Amino acid sequence: RYEMFARHHVPWLQSKYDLSDMHLIEIGCGTGCSTLAFGQVAKAVDCFELSEASVAIARARLAYWGIESVNFHLELFDEK
C-alpha cells in the first residue's frame, strides 16, 4: 500500500498542490502505510485513528523512517 501511495497518489496530489507547505489531516490512518508517504512530503500530518494497536504500528513505522512531522490522535475526527 505504501508503494501505491508513494508512486501514484502522492505525486498526483503534488501535481495539483504544493504539499511541502501543507498541514494534512488523515482520517483512519491504520498502520501508517499512507501516513508514511504523506509524512515524507507534507509539512505536517495529523492522523485520527481509533485502534491503539494500529497507531502503535504506525508510530514504529514512522520512527524507523525518521518521520517526525506526524501527530496521532486516538479519537474520532471532529472538524469543530
Side-chain angles (χ1 to χ4, degrees):
R1 185 163 177 210
Y2 165 78
E3 292 293 328
M4 181 177 62
F5 269 85
R7 291 186 182 175
H8 302 286
H9 299 298
V10 171
W12 180 82
L13 284 170
Q14 284 181 303
S15 74
K16 309 292 182 197
Y17 307 99
D18 179 10
L19 298 180
S20 67
D21 198 37
M22 288 191 135
H23 189 130
L24 304 178
I25 296 173
E26 185 177 20
I27 301 170
C29 67
T31 60
C33 295
S34 55
T35 309
L36 175 59
F38 288 132
Q40 291 172 327
V41 297
K43 182 176 184 176
V45 183
D46 272 298
C47 299
F48 291 81
E49 175 60 54
L50 297 178
S51 168
E52 289 184 38
S54 292
V55 168
I57 294 168
R59 285 183 199 275
R61 182 187 310 270
L62 273 67
Y64 177 83
W65 290 102
I67 304 298
E68 298 178 350
S69 59
V70 176
N71 295 305
F72 292 96
H73 307 273
L74 282 165
E75 60 185 292
L76 288 173
F77 173 76
D78 184 355
E79 63 181 294
K80 294 178 184 177

